[in-house]
Amino acid sequence: MTKSAVLILLGPPGAGKGTQARMLEEKFGLVQLSTGDLLRAAVAAGTEAGKEAQAVMSAGGLVSDEIVLAILKDRMAEPDTSRGVILDGFPRTAGQAEALDELLEAQGQSIGSAISLDVDDAAMVERVSGRYTCANCGEGYHDSFKQPAVAGVCDKCGSTEFKRRADDNAETVSARLESYHAQTAPLISYYEGKGVLSRVDAMGEIDRVAADLAAIVTQVTA
Ligand code: AMP
């Protein structure tokens, strides 16, 4: 029996949080919970929160804690999250980290591990600018680092439709990196202080990073 775990992936845009969260989801049966995905869904659905978030997201800033926390709490209330969650892109501010602590405490849960994906900033603009996903299943690809085995066909589901995010351009990525360093990177010390921080060198091959992460998750869920 594995313990239900709450894992946090910390790292700047392009560090590989989404890619790695999807791999952990598959390997450990955990649920990937990406506030970026939830916000993009709110924007697409045209909700009030989505309308407010849209301008901030396209400028590379951070959406207000109020909106993000409301979306996160709704998602955490769904039954599948009892299998354990991988938080991808949340928390991003001290306020969000504290609110998460309160939410978990109220549910009798705690953070299994906050894992920092350590990367060189300089490489992130290229990583982010070249990435795209399958429009059907969300599998991630990259112009230079990970092309589908058959050009134009998703390895996972066979779809021939792909999409790129509007905020994955060089200018917005620089603003997103700034937001990360100003508001999110301090959370590394926050979790270190709580004794739950792990660090992974995320500059290497996707599969090697995945193996390092799997070792941490195995320990946390054992
Ligand atoms: P991501 O998909 O994680 O790269 O997030 C895309 C964008 O959504 C970010 O650049 C922010 O504008 C917004 N966003 C996602 N998660 C959060 C969060 N936890 N707090 C504030 N803004 C967020």
Side-chain angles (χ1 to χ4, degrees):
M1 219 0 220
T2 56
K3 275 193 296 195
S4 87
V6 177
L7 300 158
I8 296 170
L9 292 185
L10 290 168
K17 299 185 297 293
T19 304
Q20 296 296 341
R22 283 173 66 86
M23 292 170 89
L24 291 174
E25 184 174 55
E26 223 165 86
K27 191 171 166 67
F28 293 92
L30 302 164
V31 172
Q32 174 192 13
L33 204 164
S34 151
T35 43
D37 284 349
L38 293 171
L39 287 165
R40 280 184 287 279
V43 170
T47 64
E48 279 312 309
K51 282 181 201 151
E52 219 178 304
Q54 188 165 26
V56 181
M57 290 170 78
S58 41
L62 291 185
V63 175
S64 72
D65 284 357
E66 195 190 349
I67 289 181
V68 173
L69 287 168
I71 284 183
L72 187 272
K73 281 181 186 164
D74 277 356
R75 182 65 185 91
M76 289 283 276
E78 287 176 31
D80 63 338
T81 58
S82 64
R83 296 208 306 263
V85 292
I86 311 156
L87 297 172
D88 155 11
F90 179 92
R92 263 175 156 103
T93 64
Q96 291 177 16
E98 283 157 19
L100 177 66
D101 287 343
E102 282 168 27
L103 181 70
L104 294 178
E105 201 181 327
Q107 298 177 346
Q109 284 181 289
S110 58
I111 292 161
S113 186
I115 308 169
S116 169
L117 299 182
D118 294 337
V119 289
D120 299 337
D121 258 27
M124 292 306 105
V125 175
E126 190 201 357
R127 270 205 195 179
V128 174
S129 308
R131 70 186 182 181
Y132 58 98
T133 53
C134 169
N136 178 50
C137 73
E139 182 68 4
Y141 295 97
H142 193 280
D143 293 330
S144 315
F145 310 125
K146 188 190 163 199
Q147 292 277 19
V150 177
V153 182
C154 176
D155 296 343
K156 279 265 150 86
C157 75
S159 166
T160 53
E161 301 284 324
F162 296 88
K163 60 181 184 186
R164 287 177 195 262
R165 277 170 49 175
D167 61 347
D168 279 352
N169 58 75
E171 199 179 299
T172 312
V173 176
S174 302
R176 287 161 64 200
L177 280 169
E178 265 177 47
S179 304
Y180 174 79
H181 286 292
Q183 300 191 67
T184 310
L187 298 184
I188 294 175
S189 322
Y190 179 78
Y191 289 117
E192 192 165 30
K194 285 178 165 288
V196 292
L197 182 76
S198 310
R199 303 192 87 117
V200 164
D201 172 4
M203 286 306 292
E205 293 288 314
I206 292 175
D207 287 341
R208 196 196 49 70
V209 177
D212 289 350
L213 281 169
I216 294 169
V217 177
T218 301
Q219 254 189 355
V220 170
T221 55

